[in-house]
């Protein structure tokens, strides 16, 4: 039984990835949204806040320590 799904940027930007992530989460699956976020702290924080509302289990962030802190704060 598959419980974890990885959704990459290609699928997200095609317009199908976020609806799929929502559907999988509603079905009780775990979703790894592989976005590789890299930007200034406020932008990454807003993106992580939006991602956390999807209910996904994980996402990727490529960032400096202050951006990582902003992302962690936004996820909670």
């Amino acid at each position: 039984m598959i419980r974890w799904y990885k959704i990459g940027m290609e699928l997200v930007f095609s317009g199908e990835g976020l609806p799929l992530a929502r559907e999988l989460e509603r079905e009780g699956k775990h979703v790894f949204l592989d976005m590789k976020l890299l930007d200034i702290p406020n932008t990454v924080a807003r993106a992580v806040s939006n991602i956390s509302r999807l209910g996904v289990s994980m996402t990727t962030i490529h960032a400096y320590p202050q951006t990582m802190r902003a992302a962690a704060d936004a996820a909670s």
Side-chain angles (χ1 to χ4, degrees):
M1 176 174 166
I2 300 171
R3 296 199 26 95
W4 281 91
Y5 293 82
K6 176 185 171 193
I7 297 176
M9 286 189 294
E10 299 89 348
L11 191 57
V12 169
F13 291 131
S14 76
E16 303 298 324
L18 298 182
L20 177 60
R22 286 185 193 101
E23 181 181 333
L24 290 169
E25 287 294 332
R26 279 194 298 268
E27 293 176 4
K29 308 297 183 185
H30 297 285
V31 174
F32 166 34
L33 194 62
D34 190 11
M35 295 299 296
K36 298 176 183 75
L37 300 173
L38 174 61
D39 210 311
I40 63 173
N42 288 339
T43 301
V44 171
R46 285 191 303 268
V48 168
S49 179
N50 290 332
I51 289 168
S52 70
R53 283 189 280 254
L54 292 172
V56 301
S57 300
M58 295 187 304
T59 193
T60 47
I61 300 168
H62 295 210
Y64 293 106
Q66 65 271 25
T67 304
M68 295 295 284
R69 280 191 291 280
D73 292 343
S76 35

